[in-house]
Amino acid sequence: MPTCSSWLVVYHPSYQKKALDQLEKCLQQAAIGYSCLATSGDFARDLKRLKAFSNDLTRVVVLGGDGTLHLVVNAFAYTAVEVALIPCGSGNDFARQWRVSQAHWLATALRAPAQRIDLGLINDRYFINVAGVGYDAEVVRATQNKKGRLARWRYSWEGLKHLYTYSNPQVRVEIDSKVTNQRQLMCCFANGQFFGGGMKVAPDANVTSGALSYLSVAQGAPLRQAVALLLSYIGAHTRLAQITTAVIKRCEVTTVGLGIEADGEYLGTTPAVISCQADALLFVVPR
């Protein structure tokens, strides 16, 4: 059983050794009681282990990227436990929107207060950053177990390959009783602004807005789709004709059998119900 301490550090055992050593030194200097938990890669097992720490826990510090943060969010949504982040994963897309240094994130995790932010919910899984249906989920599935220094290169390669091989299926989406049914590359539901290793998919997303940013990319020639994805790195893709955007609180994808990803984790297939969960998490936001 976990020991009784006020803080918990969650990290991936294959990475973050230097960051972990630095954080532990800071916690010891500040006389903060803490425990450490190394993730195993088994989501259900790690989620159960995390929830066992919830009694008397005040703050969790995540050393890692979007996947580790995704795990912690699902353990502590709608609780009084504060979640802090020191981004040191392969993607770190959620952290990009604040544009602060690693040292700033460390200082924030140690000293800044937490505030309520929104989460998304897709079926029974919370997400803190972006969830997607279609092309991006297939890219995630192809790269799910490929971690480490080459992870971003592999993601880019699979993304390019899938532009030419993905079928752009018919996707039926219902938003506020309005139904669209068209061939799409993908549709995304964004709480944060970035995904896919730096694509600014939702330039106007805000974690305290009480809503999600919705974006869909209609079927098009591979070159046209590639241009849309390239423009997304500077947030200029939303002006293109094949892009549809909206602000949503709830949405349904009723087409069966399309891949689903959330925060870079492959979750299975549609149908899916997506909603904004306002003020669902106490998060330590950098200032």
Side-chain angles (χ1 to χ4, degrees):
M1 292 294 293
T3 58
C4 182
S5 56
S6 59
W7 287 34
L8 176 66
V9 178
V10 180
Y11 68 100
H12 192 292
S14 298
Y15 314 105
Q16 293 99 39
K17 177 72 168 61
K18 183 178 179 180
L20 178 61
D21 290 345
Q22 183 181 19
L23 176 59
E24 287 196 281
K25 182 178 179 180
C26 291
L27 290 171
Q28 290 161 9
Q29 288 175 343
I32 296 171
Y34 69 96
S35 296
C36 291
L37 185 144
T39 60
S40 69
D42 183 324
F43 180 86
R45 177 172 178 264
D46 287 339
L47 188 65
K48 184 177 180 180
R49 293 167 65 208
L50 275 172
K51 288 184 175 181
F53 278 87
S54 59
N55 291 338
D56 301 320
L57 191 63
T58 57
R59 179 166 293 193
V60 177
V61 182
V62 177
L63 283 176
D66 297 319
T68 309
L69 184 58
H70 176 83
L71 169 67
V72 169
V73 161
N74 276 273
F76 300 112
Y78 288 111
T79 72
V81 177
E82 301 171 350
V83 176
L85 173 66
I86 300 175
C88 42
S90 57
N92 302 321
D93 279 310
F94 182 69
R96 290 178 193 274
Q97 59 200 307
W98 284 283
R99 300 184 182 278
V100 299
S101 68
Q102 189 83 349
H104 191 118
W105 279 106
L106 174 59
T108 294
L110 290 169
R111 292 187 288 274
Q115 69 176 74
R116 287 279 172 190
I117 68 166
D118 305 334
L119 296 176
L121 181 69
I122 185 161
N123 291 339
D124 61 352
R125 188 74 73 89
Y126 292 105
F127 62 93
I128 193 169
N129 192 38
V130 179
V133 169
Y135 160 82
D136 56 320
E138 295 307 314
V139 175
V140 166
R141 181 164 68 167
T143 58
Q144 186 70 85
N145 297 315
K146 296 177 174 66
K147 306 294 184 180
R149 294 180 180 178
L150 297 179
R152 292 183 68 179
W153 180 88
R154 287 165 177 155
Y155 188 94
S156 298
W157 165 247
E158 291 292 342
L160 180 62
K161 185 171 72 173
H162 278 73
L163 277 180
Y164 289 88
T165 60
Y166 188 67
S167 63
N168 287 263
Q170 200 82 11
V171 183
R172 186 181 185 277
V173 180
E174 182 176 336
I175 302 172
D176 296 330
S177 300
K178 180 181 178 182
V179 176
T180 60
N181 194 355
Q182 63 178 346
R183 290 194 173 276
Q184 291 186 21
L185 180 70
M186 64 179 179
C187 50
C188 297
F189 314 92
N191 190 44
Q193 296 178 2
F194 293 86
F195 91 145
M199 297 179 186
K200 197 172 187 180
V201 66
D204 297 325
N206 187 309
V207 297
T208 59
S209 67
L212 301 174
S213 290
Y214 169 77
L215 177 139
S216 69
V217 184
Q219 181 184 32
L223 180 59
R224 191 180 179 196
Q225 306 290 43
V227 169
L229 294 180
L230 286 171
L231 287 175
S232 73
Y233 281 96
I234 57 172
H237 58 299
T238 57
R239 295 174 288 183
L240 299 176
Q242 73 263 40
I243 304 292
T244 299
T245 62
V247 176
I248 66 168
K249 292 190 176 182
R250 189 180 185 277
C251 173
E252 291 188 47
V253 179
T254 56
T255 306
V256 175
L258 304 177
I260 301 171
E261 66 89 11
D263 298 335
E265 301 295 311
Y266 188 78
L267 303 187
T269 58
T270 56
V273 177
I274 304 96
S275 61
C276 179
Q277 303 292 301
D279 299 333
L281 185 75
L282 274 168
F283 185 72
V284 185
V285 177
R287 291 174 171 82

